[in-house]
């Protein structure tokens, strides 16, 4: 019995692979290395380089390895990019996911865990937002993911496949042992951008809007540490293996930090006071989005372990330093 991890050379996927290997699982990674790194996949896992929408490749791989579960991370994830390239997002995130699901059904794969996103809620009417709130994604990215949620529901109804959909909030931090982290060079995510600025890799950075209806005027987000997120997937896999029902679950800490609070934390933890320019709002940003996480706690038995913003920032900083040292050496 083997677990197939698509996108296992990427940020969240590589943390998942470590978690699976530590639990003694057999792991095959499928990644086209467009944003992932070969070196992020440990030798104990098999790496297949290719696209998850390539049905002959995926069919062969599932049959050969007797794949019992698929954990599907591979995706395009940049919201503004999805606005200018919607068809690219629908092709990769939606159409290719359909191809992957088709292979899963044909080969009787039992379990499917899908990386969804808080972006399916759009601008939530109330916070913390529960899984039963209305789904009104405002970007092609959010819609491309929501369509996969629907495909999974319909597929599980028609066939012998069960699933867990995990809706991630703002994923941040890195492996506490320093083995992997967020390596994509042009990352746009707040904590990554801020630690890069602290390291002098950027001359300064911007805060996109301080006129939101939030306590300090900047946007409020729920930052979840990446190993805690990988642990939620382990819990989801165990839930399915124990015969648990199909499930859709938020992954967050039910606690929000503002952009300004995050930047203050980055400055304090790194000891570097860098330039921050207040600029206008970034299109498509909800003012506040925080996860209700009762379902993950009660049904999956998941509990946060690394829910400390200082720790998250420190991990991101340490990882960025490591990447910088590699770059300087290479
Ligand atoms: N921000 C800045 N300056 C920066 C980068 C970000 O002020 O240089 C702000 C953003 O405007 C936002 C907050 O920091 O208010 C967080 O932005 P990120 O880009 O880090 O993350 P998002 O909240 O935009 O995106 C996350 C996930 C997406 C998901 C979305 C749903 O990364 O996958 O939440 O709300 F779709």
């Amino acid at each position: 019995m083997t677990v197939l991890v698509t996108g296992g050379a990427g940020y969240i996927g590589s943390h998942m692979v470590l978690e699976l290997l530590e639990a003694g699982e057999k792991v095959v990674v499928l990644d086209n290395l467009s944003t992932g790194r070969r070196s992020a996949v440990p030798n104990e896992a098999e790496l297949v380089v290719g696209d998850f929408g390539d049905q002959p490749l995926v069919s062969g791989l599932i049959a050969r390895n007797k794949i019992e579960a698929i954990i599907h991370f591979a995706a395009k994830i940049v919201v503004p990019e999805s606005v200018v390239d919607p068809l690219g997002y629908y092709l990769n995130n939606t159409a290719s996911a359909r191809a992957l699901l088709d292979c899963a059904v044909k080969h009787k794969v039992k379990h499917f865990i899908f990386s969804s996103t808080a972006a399916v809620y759009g601008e939530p009417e109330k916070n913390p937002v529960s899984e039963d709130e209305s789904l009104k994604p405002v970007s092609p990215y959010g819609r491309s993911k929501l369509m996969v949620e629907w495909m999974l529901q319909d597929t599980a109804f028609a066939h012998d496949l069960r699933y867990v959909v995990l809706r991630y909030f703002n994923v941040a931090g890195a492996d506490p042992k320093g083995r992997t982290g967020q390596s994509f060079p042009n990352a746009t995510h707040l904590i990554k951008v801020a630690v890069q600025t602290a390291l002098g890799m950027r001359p300064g950075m911007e805060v996109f809007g301080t006129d939101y209806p939030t306590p300090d005027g900047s946007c409020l987000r729920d930052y979840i540490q990446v190993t805690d997120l990988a642990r939620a997937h382990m819990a989801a896999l165990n839930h399915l293996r124990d015969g648990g029902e199909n499930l859709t679950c938020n992954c967050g800490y039910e606690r929000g930090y503002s952009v300004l609070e995050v930047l203050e934390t980055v400055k304090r933890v790194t000891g570097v006071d860098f330039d921050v320019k207040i600029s206008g709002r970034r299109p498509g940003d909800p003012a506040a989005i925080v996860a209700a996480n009762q379902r993950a706690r009660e049904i999956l038995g998941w509990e946060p372990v690394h829910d400390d913003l200082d720790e998250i920032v420190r991990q991101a900083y340490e990882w960025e330093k490591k990447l910088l040292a590699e770059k300087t050496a290479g």
Side-chain angles (χ1 to χ4, degrees):
M1 290 299 208
T2 305
V3 179
L4 171 61
V5 181
T6 74
Y11 174 39
I12 307 170
S14 63
H15 289 82
M16 184 75 237
V17 170
L18 291 174
E19 211 59 35
L20 286 163
L21 292 173
E22 273 169 18
E25 301 281 345
K26 266 189 78 185
V27 180
V28 175
V29 169
L30 175 61
D31 198 302
N32 66 8
L33 302 183
S34 59
T35 56
R37 307 202 309 167
R38 188 180 285 275
S39 59
V41 181
N43 292 333
E44 299 79 33
E46 182 190 337
L47 170 65
V48 177
V49 179
D51 291 318
F52 65 87
D54 179 344
Q55 288 196 308
L57 174 76
V58 173
S59 278
L61 193 160
I62 293 178
R64 216 171 36 249
N65 293 286
K66 299 193 173 55
I67 298 293
E68 168 233 359
I70 297 177
I71 310 185
H72 177 40
F73 292 98
K76 286 170 168 283
I77 58 156
V78 181
V79 176
E81 183 185 62
S82 79
V83 177
V84 293
D85 181 25
L87 296 180
Y89 273 68
Y90 291 127
L91 176 62
N92 187 75
N93 292 2
T94 314
S96 293
R98 187 227 158 260
L100 177 65
L101 265 177
D102 191 39
C103 290
V105 168
K106 283 190 178 129
H107 290 279
K108 303 195 177 343
V109 173
K110 288 200 183 96
H111 306 134
F112 199 100
I113 300 175
F114 175 59
S115 306
S116 190
T117 168
V120 299
Y121 297 112
E123 176 96 45
E125 273 152 36
K126 61 173 200 273
N127 275 304
V129 59
S130 86
E131 293 84 351
D132 299 323
E133 289 299 316
S134 57
L135 303 174
K136 293 180 190 152
V138 292
S139 64
Y141 168 67
R143 293 191 193 106
S144 73
K145 289 279 186 176
L146 180 55
M147 282 193 263
V148 181
E149 291 197 11
W150 288 335
M151 275 198 285
L152 264 174
Q153 283 169 23
D154 295 339
T155 305
F157 183 79
H159 301 283
D160 192 15
L161 171 139
R162 276 175 307 117
Y163 69 85
V164 174
V165 165
L166 296 175
R167 293 182 181 149
Y168 312 162
F169 283 62
N170 289 58
V171 189
D175 173 43
K177 294 182 187 155
R179 294 166 294 181
T180 187
Q182 162 67 280
S183 304
F184 188 48
N186 301 319
T188 54
H189 291 153
L190 178 66
I191 292 180
K192 171 110 177 163
V193 170
V195 297
Q196 286 183 335
T197 312
L199 282 167
M201 297 165 71
R202 298 170 185 254
M205 61 173 294
E206 295 172 80
V207 171
F208 301 129
T210 48
D211 58 348
Y212 285 97
T214 57
D216 67 16
S218 67
C219 290
L220 223 60
R221 293 288 182 275
D222 189 335
Y223 295 89
I224 175 171
Q225 196 273 348
V226 60
T227 314
D228 272 352
L229 181 61
R231 291 175 47 252
H233 292 70
M234 274 316 291
L237 184 60
N238 292 331
H239 166 85
L240 291 171
R241 284 175 171 167
D242 292 345
E245 291 298 307
N246 298 321
L247 182 69
T248 298
C249 222
N250 285 342
C251 291
Y253 292 145
E254 209 165 307
R255 172 199 70 189
Y257 283 106
S258 75
V259 173
L260 295 177
E261 283 172 329
V262 169
L263 295 185
E264 211 180 276
T265 307
V266 173
K267 288 181 178 181
R268 183 169 37 75
V269 167
T270 63
V272 182
D273 188 11
F274 48 86
D275 270 357
V276 173
K277 183 174 152 239
I278 307 292
S279 47
R281 292 184 178 194
R282 190 173 69 173
D285 275 344
I289 180 155
V290 173
N293 66 15
Q294 197 184 353
R295 197 179 282 181
R297 287 175 186 271
E298 287 182 0
I299 303 183
L300 296 181
W302 172 81
E303 289 292 336
V305 173
H306 301 285
D307 56 341
D308 176 70
L309 188 62
D310 282 26
E311 183 190 349
I312 293 173
V313 165
R314 200 170 302 115
Q315 290 168 351
Y317 185 56
E318 291 305 322
W319 179 252
E320 209 56 47
K321 281 203 283 196
K322 196 166 170 177
L323 288 180
L324 189 60
E326 269 178 29
K327 212 167 113 188
T328 314

